[in-house]
Amino acid sequence: MRALVMTAVEAEREAVLRGLNGDSRFEVSLAGVGPIAAAINTATMLASANYDLVVSAGIGGGFVGQAEVGSLVVASEIIAADLGVQTQEGFMSLDELGFGSTRVQVSSALAARLTAAMLTAGLPVHSGPVLTVSTATGTAAAASELATRVPGAAAEAMEGYGVAAAANGRGIPVLEIRAISNAVGPRDREAWRIGDALKALEAASSVIVEVLE
Ligand SMILES: O=C(O)c1cccc(C(=O)CC[C@H]2O[C@@H](n3cnc4c(=O)[nH]cnc43)[C@H](O)[C@@H]2O)c1
């Protein structure tokens, strides 16, 4: 079994590689930031070699009350949360408009196995929908609106849906892992804990090998 892990930036890639500790069954490649770059770069990788699993991995924002800074989230579902139209009555998703789907299902068996492996390793892990946004949430009102619209939303990031759409297009199972660097809500760069999140991402990557066994 061979897996492709896509991270947005080099610091995330290096954290994943440290955790994987030279496991040759994994390739770790750069997605770029945002869903469009992520979809293009993942599709390019998938066209160049055969993979049995694709993983979107990186840091992300955690929804308050669902995933605290320093913890990990394994996606139960990957949702393009801002793909739709804003109306007088509120947001309407692509699904509601009848133009397609904003959701990609993860491999629930592999997600459950990964979550169990993280728990066994003593890592603080949550399971829940991970939202992909093109514009990071920066106000309490926007965070609250998203949490209401997607019950149980655990984390937010900017690449998962792009990576997942590319994998889905080839019928390859997909997972998303987010290490929480900040709370979803009012912009406060001073409060970001990127170093802690990268350490959590490295720890998560050291148990990800177990999903292939
Ligand atoms: O400068 C800011 O205030 C700011 C706010 C949110 C996100 C950014 C980024 O540069 C994010 C780039 C990168 O990190 C992931 N990420 C991490 N936390 C979040 C989040 O709360 N919402 C969305 N994305 C997040 C994302 O996947 C990107 O790869 C700057």
Side-chain angles (χ1 to χ4, degrees), residues 23-95:
D23 193 315
S24 60
R25 296 169 300 172
F26 289 82
E27 178 140 9
V28 189
S29 190
L30 288 179
V33 174
I36 297 169
I40 292 169
N41 287 317
T42 305
T44 302
M45 289 300 294
L46 295 179
S48 71
N50 291 324
Y51 295 98
D52 306 295
L53 173 67
V54 177
V55 183
S56 173
I59 65 170
F63 281 88
V64 173
Q66 298 286 343
E68 64 281 10
V69 172
S71 71
L72 293 155
V73 173
V74 173
S76 59
E77 199 174 4
I78 298 170
I79 302 174
D82 55 9
L83 195 51
V85 60
Q86 204 70 54
T87 76
Q88 298 281 16
E89 289 74 40
F91 179 84
M92 277 180 81
S93 70
L94 216 61
D95 316 58

Side-chain angles (χ1 to χ4, degrees), residues 5-175:
V5 182
M6 299 298 292
T7 68
V9 297
E10 186 59 31
E12 294 167 328
R13 182 172 174 273
E14 285 166 12
V16 171
L17 285 170
R18 282 194 299 275
L20 290 173
N21 199 24
D23 193 315
S24 60
R25 296 169 300 172
F26 289 82
E27 178 140 9
V28 189
S29 190
L30 288 179
V33 174
I36 297 169
I40 292 169
N41 287 317
T42 305
T44 302
M45 289 300 294
L46 295 179
S48 71
N50 291 324
Y51 295 98
D52 306 295
L53 173 67
V54 177
V55 183
S56 173
I59 65 170
F63 281 88
V64 173
Q66 298 286 343
E68 64 281 10
V69 172
S71 71
L72 293 155
V73 173
V74 173
S76 59
E77 199 174 4
I78 298 170
I79 302 174
D82 55 9
L83 195 51
V85 60
Q86 204 70 54
T87 76
Q88 298 281 16
E89 289 74 40
F91 179 84
M92 277 180 81
S93 70
L94 216 61
D95 316 58
E96 292 166 294
L97 293 162
F99 291 151
S101 177
T102 56
R103 292 169 185 248
V104 176
Q105 299 308 313
V106 299
S107 165
S108 49
L110 293 181
R113 201 188 301 176
L114 178 59
T115 306
M118 287 181 181
L119 285 170
T120 302
L123 301 177
V125 59
H126 308 274
S127 171
V130 175
L131 311 189
T132 302
V133 291
S134 294
T135 303
T137 302
T139 66
S144 168
E145 193 269 328
L146 279 177
T148 304
R149 189 145 58 72
V150 185
E156 167 188 292
M158 301 174 76
E159 294 81 27
Y161 184 81
V163 172
N168 208 30
R170 286 183 173 260
I172 303 171
V174 66
L175 295 174

Side-chain angles (χ1 to χ4, degrees), residues 8 33 59-61 136 156-159 178 181-182 187 189 192:
V33 174
I59 65 170
E156 167 188 292
M158 301 174 76
E159 294 81 27
R178 289 290 157 183
S181 54
N182 58 283
R187 184 169 189 256
R189 280 309 293 263
W192 280 46

